[in-house]
Amino acid sequence: MDKSLKSTLLFSCVLISLFVSSSAQTCSSYTFSRNNIFSKCNDLPVLNSFLYWNYHPTTGTVDIAYRHSSVTSSQWVTWALNVDKSGMIGAQCLVACQNTSGQVHVYTSPVTVYDTTMPAGALSFNVWNLSAELINNEMIIYATLELPNSRTRFNQVWQDGPIRGNIPGKHATSGANMRSSGTVDFSSTQTGASPSGGGAAGFPGQGRRNVHGVLNAISWGTLMPLGAIIARYLKVFKSADPAWFYLHVTCQCSAYIVGVAGWATGLKLGSDSSGTANQTHGNIGMVLFILGTLQLFALLLRPKKDHKYRLYWNIYHHSVGYTVIILSIINIFEGFEILDPEKKWKQTYIGILIFLGFNAVMLEAYTWYIVIKWKRSSSEQYPSVENGSTIGVNGYGIRSQQAV
Ligand SMILES: *[C@@H]1O[C@H](CO)[C@@H](O)[C@H](O)[C@H]1NC(C)=O
Ligand SMILES: *[C@@H]1O[C@H](CO)[C@@H](O)[C@H](O)[C@H]1NC(C)=O
């Protein structure tokens, strides 16, 4: 058992470090298939989008690349400057999609009405060297733009939607698709992963949001439940005493440290954006921080195992602990809704949950098997097992006898 438990822990560590290393992709870490080098980039806050550019002040032009990841061949994508207005009407679009002949088609389209199928047309400024490629579910549009009136600061809009035949259909009118606008300043000196204020005015960049998501999914969402599993199931084995206790404390403490860092990044993000979804997410985050801190204090106040209040302490510690785990998982899925990351993130986290859940179920069954075996065999070796009725409450009776 010790061996399989060790490998379980090891596997979890590997999984977690994989999760971290595949973490927060930001614009500055991307290599283009054409080896283009762009000196500036922004992580746009929604729709897995990134904007790269080189600004040429002498000619008043800018070379841009717009990258939209997680695109299927039945979707169109667009990136646009809106020179005089903001939002959709007036957007000077660069549109790309895979057409029915299987080729990537890219063209320009000025939007004048809401109910548009984005027909091709000339923009209000010159566009050269327009091209696009669809690689590994990433659509990238390249172009050189002549900036009107030598301005450098514009409203920008980006979007995706379904393609029917060769005709772009209406984009979704909720969630991230309604938040995909902001401003861009091509003369800005800020660049990289997540310039403050992000790619769009008032919204934090995708990079910072991803960091927040990864920190919290690891701490609250993975380490905390793992620590609870260690405590609940390792405790039963005499040989794991008191190792389980130190493992449990180490796991929860590091989860708490990373979790508080994640919570702090969330506070910053929360102050940079608004919306009721964000508010609920933020409130649950606050409750989690308070309950997590209470658990730390619980450790300091823990009565000795034969103390008459120990039972109450156990009830308190377990109920707060399980509440934290359940709320954490709820809040992580709430976060997925807000962040709207690539599907693989949510899938990875669901995979971790299934893995933890599977182990918990197996260990639960194994524990019951051991407990029943004890009950049947010599009662001298484990006198506490005589009280069979406590097994009814998930063997807590046995556990509290064995606890350090
Ligand atoms: C698809 O796009 C390519 C490249 O723009 C173009 O040459 C071709 O005619 C398009 N095919 C159809 C059916 O529109
Ligand atoms: C378009 O691309 C060609 C070849 O890469 C380049 O020589 C030319 O300068 C570009 N045109 C503009 C206006 O950037």
Side-chain angles (χ1 to χ4, degrees):
M1 186 57 209
D2 269 358
K3 223 177 208 170
S4 70
L5 213 46
K6 260 185 216 155
S7 44
T8 302
L9 288 176
L10 196 72
F11 185 65
S12 307
C13 287
V14 170
L15 213 69
I16 290 165
S17 44
L18 273 181
F19 194 51
V20 177
S21 58
S22 79
S23 82
Q25 193 187 40
T26 62
C27 64
S28 52
S29 60
Y30 187 75
T31 311
F32 285 90
S33 67
R34 304 177 183 181
N35 296 319
N36 311 47
I37 305 290
F38 292 96
S39 61
K40 300 279 156 49
C41 68
N42 271 182
D43 296 347
L44 302 179
V46 289
L47 299 180
N48 308 309
S49 292
F50 308 86
L51 184 70
Y52 305 78
W53 71 88
N54 287 320
Y55 171 58
H56 308 291
T58 47
T59 53
T61 60
V62 65
D63 305 319
I64 66 114
Y66 167 71
R67 177 164 72 98
H68 188 320
S69 53
S70 299
V71 175
T72 66
S73 57
S74 55
Q75 276 183 307
W76 56 267
V77 309
T78 187
W79 174 85
L81 287 184
N82 198 331
V83 180
D84 305 313
K85 301 192 178 83
S86 62
M88 182 173 165
I89 302 297
Q92 304 294 307
C93 297
L94 310 178
V95 187
C97 57
Q98 186 172 309
N99 65 19
T100 43
S101 40
Q103 286 167 293
V104 174
H105 183 53
V106 59
Y107 63 96
T108 60
S109 170
V111 173
T112 51
V113 292
Y114 280 110
D115 200 11
T116 180
T117 53
M118 297 210 282
L123 302 188
S124 65
F125 47 82
N126 284 320
V127 178
W128 300 284
N129 289 349
L130 184 59
S131 65
E133 59 187 358
L134 181 62
I135 308 173
N136 301 327
N137 292 326
E138 292 201 308
M139 184 73 89
I140 304 174
I141 302 177
Y142 301 90
T144 299
L145 315 179
E146 180 182 50
L147 296 175
N149 308 321
S150 301
R151 272 169 57 191
T152 60
R153 192 177 163 82
F154 297 90
N155 289 319
Q156 65 174 341
V157 190
W158 59 101
Q159 197 54 268
D160 59 31
I163 186 113
R164 302 205 176 81
N166 282 330
I167 313 280
K170 206 170 157 69
H171 66 78
T173 51
S174 63
N177 292 79
M178 297 307 278
R179 288 183 273 126
S180 51
S181 63
T183 57
V184 58
D185 188 350
F186 293 118
S187 67
S188 165
T189 50
Q190 291 176 338
T191 190
S194 43
S196 75
F203 290 106
Q206 190 93 37
R208 264 167 63 205
R209 294 154 59 103
N210 286 351
V211 168
H212 167 74
V214 169
L215 287 181
N216 286 308
I218 288 174
S219 57
W220 301 98
T222 308
L223 285 175
M224 292 260 179
L226 183 65
I229 288 174
I230 289 172
R232 183 170 170 80
Y233 301 110
L234 232 56
K235 210 191 267 192
V236 182
F237 303 99
K238 268 239 129 108
S239 58
D241 197 3
W244 73 264
F245 177 72
Y246 296 111
L247 269 175
H248 175 62
V249 170
T250 309
C251 204
Q252 304 314 58
C253 280
S254 36
Y256 182 78
I257 292 166
V258 179
V260 168
W263 178 66
T265 57
L267 284 185
K268 182 77 185 75
L269 290 175
S271 67
D272 290 351
S273 53
S274 56
T276 49
N278 285 324
Q279 215 159 19
T280 315
H281 183 70
N283 290 343
I284 297 179
M286 176 68 82
V287 170
L288 281 173
F289 171 70
I290 292 168
L291 292 181
T293 309
L294 271 181
Q295 289 292 66
L296 268 200
F297 281 102
L299 180 68
L300 302 177
L301 298 174
R302 197 168 73 125
K304 291 239 148 29
K305 67 176 167 186
D306 44 8
H307 194 282
K308 59 178 174 177
Y309 289 144
R310 179 57 183 261
L311 176 68
Y312 301 110
W313 184 90
N314 279 350
I315 293 171
Y316 156 82
H317 184 64
H318 292 145
S319 47
V320 174
Y322 286 123
T323 308
V324 165
I325 290 171
I326 292 165
L327 276 183
S328 297
I329 293 172
I330 292 174
N331 218 26
I332 284 166
F333 281 98
E334 186 90 14
F336 279 126
E337 287 305 305
I338 298 169
L339 200 58
D340 186 37
E342 291 179 43
K343 279 200 189 69
K344 66 175 182 198
W345 292 97
K346 198 166 170 177
Q347 286 162 353
T348 306
Y349 185 61
I350 290 173
I352 290 176
L353 282 188
I354 290 173
F355 172 74
L356 289 175
F358 176 77
N359 279 290
V361 169
M362 296 308 283
L363 287 166
E364 185 77 38
Y366 191 75
T367 308
W368 278 79
Y369 166 74
I370 295 281
V371 165
I372 288 164
K373 216 168 78 173
W374 282 350
K375 201 183 149 194
R376 288 208 182 129
S377 64
S378 66
S379 50
E380 298 107 68
Q381 208 186 338
Y382 304 102
S384 66
V385 181
E386 271 180 11
N387 183 3
S389 63
T390 54
I391 294 168
V393 267
N394 294 331
Y396 274 141
I398 290 152
R399 291 210 170 80
S400 56
Q401 296 287 338
Q402 289 222 309
V404 202

